[in-house]
Amino acid sequence: MNERIDKLLNNQGGNYIFPFFWQHGEREETLREYMRAIHESNIGAVCVESRPHPDFCGEKWWQDMDIILDEARNRHMKVWLLDDSHFPTGYANGAMASQPDSLCRQSVCFRSHVVSGGDWLSLSADELRYAPAFEKNMIENYAMHGEVRRFDDDCLFSLYAVRQDGAENDFLSPENRINLKKYLDEASFSAGFRWRAPEGEWKVYVFHLSRKQGYHRSY
């Protein structure tokens, strides 16, 4: 600890802060002046914040980045860069809004059912076709206000029964982990599916891929 303090007292410390450098499309003189002011405040790095810039990834943006990087090289500063025009990553500078559904993000979600040996498990056609309904929390209610993109391409990803009882059981062995999806046919997605559990205690996991979970669905 004393060695670190000695380094700081002898101006040998590193950089410990890199403030957001908000970009609005300023003139070259303004960008260079801001970089100078940051450097003279003993700050050795900046994080370029793109959100307010009027031409992110356009010609003006790259001109501004050239200026910032030129100043950083001359002043031996590091430059960090946020990777999109909106948070979080995935907005793709708005390009995704007009892209086909197949390029939008998917979520993996599941529901589970417990069943004992000898009992029947019944899954309805809707349970096989669709992921669980998305239930928004307070933040998601706020964030999804006005979001209108809709999807209807949920698909069943996997359907497994996994034996739960007995510490001696190897849950990865074929007899204790049963792939039920191979027993489905087209009729199952119209009439539903029934399975009788073998001896033991089982949990059946129904996994879906869905684009209807969470917000920022066009990301």
Side-chain angles (χ1 to χ4, degrees):
M1 179 64 73
N2 289 337
E3 181 181 354
R4 294 179 183 177
I5 294 176
D6 289 340
K7 285 185 176 181
L8 290 173
L9 292 175
N10 287 284
N11 199 30
Q12 296 176 346
N15 181 70
Y16 304 103
I17 186 173
F18 44 100
F20 278 161
F21 187 8
W22 292 81
Q23 297 301 303
H24 305 85
E26 288 88 353
R27 296 182 305 167
E28 177 176 348
E29 295 81 1
T30 302
L31 293 174
R32 293 190 184 277
E33 172 63 18
Y34 284 178
M35 289 292 286
R36 180 195 64 77
I38 293 169
H39 181 254
E40 290 182 357
S41 299
N42 293 316
I43 296 174
V46 295
C47 182
V48 179
E49 169 58 86
S50 60
R51 276 178 280 185
H53 199 283
D55 190 30
F56 179 63
C57 286
E59 183 176 355
K60 172 61 174 168
W61 167 261
W62 296 115
Q63 290 174 353
D64 292 351
M65 283 301 303
D66 285 342
I67 295 165
I68 292 169
L69 292 173
D70 181 56
E71 284 292 320
R73 281 189 291 267
N74 293 336
R75 300 179 184 280
H76 306 290
M77 297 172 68
K78 287 185 177 181
V79 174
W80 297 77
L81 177 64
L82 296 182
D83 59 353
D84 213 334
S85 58
H86 283 286
F87 176 86
T89 297
Y91 180 67
N93 197 27
M96 281 302 302
S98 59
Q99 297 303 308
D101 290 356
S102 60
L103 295 181
C104 293
R105 67 171 180 83
Q106 287 180 302
S107 299
V108 179
C109 45
F110 79 97
R111 54 171 69 90
S112 62
H113 304 269
V114 175
V115 58
S116 298
D119 293 339
W120 288 90
L121 170 72
S122 295
L123 298 175
S124 70
D126 280 352
E127 285 182 288
L128 294 175
R129 287 181 178 274
Y130 302 111
F134 174 57
E135 297 181 4
K136 293 181 284 188
N137 60 30
M138 181 182 67
I139 294 176
E140 289 160 341
N141 267 309
Y142 172 78
M144 294 182 71
H145 178 71
E147 187 167 345
V148 296
R149 191 155 187 171
R150 299 288 185 266
F151 302 92
D152 190 26
D153 61 349
D154 284 5
C155 64
L156 184 68
F157 182 64
S158 67
L159 178 60
Y160 271 92
V162 181
R163 188 166 180 175
Q164 304 294 302
D165 59 317
E168 73 282 359
N169 284 324
D170 176 5
F171 295 139
L172 295 180
S173 65
E175 62 269 21
N176 293 328
R177 184 173 60 94
I178 304 173
N179 180 7
L180 299 179
K181 188 177 179 181
K182 65 183 181 181
Y183 300 118
L184 299 179
D185 54 24
E186 285 300 319
S188 302
F189 292 94
S190 300
F193 171 72
R194 297 190 76 212
W195 174 72
R196 192 172 190 179
E199 178 185 357
E201 299 297 322
W202 298 81
K203 183 175 283 190
V204 176
Y205 297 91
V206 188
F207 281 88
H208 283 85
L209 293 177
S210 177
R211 303 184 205 276
K212 297 186 292 188
Q213 305 290 316
Y215 55 101
H216 294 320
R217 296 181 182 181
S218 289
Y219 276 42

